[in-house]
Amino acid sequence: AQTVTQSQPEMSVQEAETVTLSCTYDTSESDYYLFWYKQPPSRQMILVIRQEAYKQQNATENRFSVNFQKAAKSFSLKISDSQLGDAAMYFCAPKGEYGNKLVFGAGTILRVKS
Amino acid sequence: DVKVTQSSRYLVKRTGEKVFLECVQDMDHENMFWYRQDPGLGLRLIYFSYDVKMKEKGDIPEGYSVSREKKERFSLILESASTNQTSMYLCASRAGGAGELFFGEGSRLTVL
């Protein structure tokens, strides 16, 4: 069974600065996918970024990038040039190559200060 | 614009009542999911469905049942609501494989 740990219940960042949210997971599968989802206050959860475990190159989507370390089972999210709209709860979620289940971490609340 | 629509944003029910939470998606996705979100616990999977009339238990199915009579609609049923089922319920859908999950806005249920 997969488990996910997000060790930072809350983080704060100054607007325009960089912040890193951490995620570690445990899985027995060799091939899997990793996701970061964002849940803004009172709004729908949306996908931020996705990483395939077989790819060595870290995924990047505009200001969002990941530091994926497969051996350490670590999947952190870096947000550069933070904006007020980045304030949200962020969830890390691995998914096995087969099957339908994503396992979500407990989430990290990100606050952005102006 | 793709959409997952949950029928009620806020519900207040009494202990013992039967509760229906409805979810409709317009993306022709095979897979649909019901999650429960509680502070400090993240999202926990209650049930999912990979086809019409097909369902599988998630991690916390006790006290819940589901129905999927049509591809676009996935209902969560609380046969006899209890106070420990007070929570935020999130519906999601996905095409096959490792595609993106699309979420509804959530239904916040309070059981008194």
Side-chain angles (χ1 to χ4, degrees):
Chain A
Q2 294 173 333
T3 60
V4 184
T5 301
Q6 293 182 247
S7 58
Q8 306 147 317
E10 290 190 30
M11 294 281 285
S12 288
V13 63
Q14 198 70 35
E15 204 174 359
E17 293 189 349
T18 295
V19 64
T20 299
L21 309 183
S22 67
C23 172
T24 58
Y25 58 92
D26 192 16
T27 180
S28 56
E29 300 192 46
S30 56
D31 288 319
Y32 49 91
Y33 303 85
L34 296 155
F35 300 85
W36 277 99
Y37 281 88
K38 168 186 177 181
Q39 186 179 40
S42 300
R43 292 180 60 188
Q44 284 161 295
M45 187 107 66
I46 57 173
L47 177 67
V48 176
I49 198 164
R50 156 194 157 136
Q51 172 84 40
E52 288 87 352
Y54 66 87
K55 289 187 177 178
Q56 293 188 341
Q57 187 171 6
N58 289 324
T60 299
E61 287 287 342
N62 301 313
R63 297 182 295 107
F64 298 87
S65 61
V66 300
N67 182 4
F68 173 48
Q69 299 182 16
K70 191 172 183 179
K73 294 181 180 175
S74 170
F75 182 58
S76 59
L77 175 69
K78 186 171 88 170
I79 307 173
S80 304
D81 185 25
S82 296
Q83 300 176 359
L84 294 177
D86 295 333
M89 175 91 80
Y90 288 81
F91 292 94
C92 171
K95 178 193 172 301
E97 183 180 11
Y98 303 105
N100 278 299
K101 292 174 62 172
L102 272 76
V103 178
F104 285 82
T108 297
I109 297 173
L110 178 66
R111 305 189 195 282
V112 181
K113 297 181 281 188
S114 59
Chain B
D1 202 14
V2 297
K3 245 187 162 176
V4 177
T5 304
Q6 294 184 229
S7 56
S8 305
R9 290 293 303 275
Y10 301 95
L11 303 95
V12 179
K13 298 292 182 180
R14 297 213 172 269
T15 301
E17 278 193 78
K18 191 168 186 175
V19 181
F20 291 88
L21 299 179
E22 303 277 327
C23 176
V24 177
Q25 51 97 1
D26 64 0
M27 295 164 282
D28 201 35
H29 285 166
E30 293 87 2
N31 302 297
M32 295 188 74
F33 304 81
W34 276 106
Y35 286 92
R36 172 176 170 159
Q37 182 179 6
D38 299 289
L41 297 177
L43 277 68
R44 292 178 293 167
L45 183 63
I46 305 172
Y47 267 98
F48 68 95
S49 169
Y50 50 91
D51 202 350
V52 175
K53 298 190 187 293
M54 307 302 286
K55 61 187 179 185
E56 280 197 30
K57 293 180 180 179
D59 299 315
I60 53 164
E62 296 78 19
Y64 303 94
S65 62
V66 291
S67 172
R68 193 165 180 203
E69 296 295 320
K70 293 185 177 181
K71 190 175 186 179
E72 67 271 17
R73 187 180 298 270
F74 192 36
S75 302
L76 180 68
I77 304 154
L78 288 66
E79 293 288 342
S80 177
S82 63
T83 55
N84 63 13
Q85 293 177 310
T86 291
S87 188
M88 171 70 87
Y89 291 88
L90 297 178
C91 176
S93 73
R94 184 179 69 217
E100 175 183 353
L101 272 178
F102 291 89
F103 285 86
E105 290 185 319
S107 298
R108 184 167 292 283
L109 172 66
T110 301
V111 183
L112 302 175

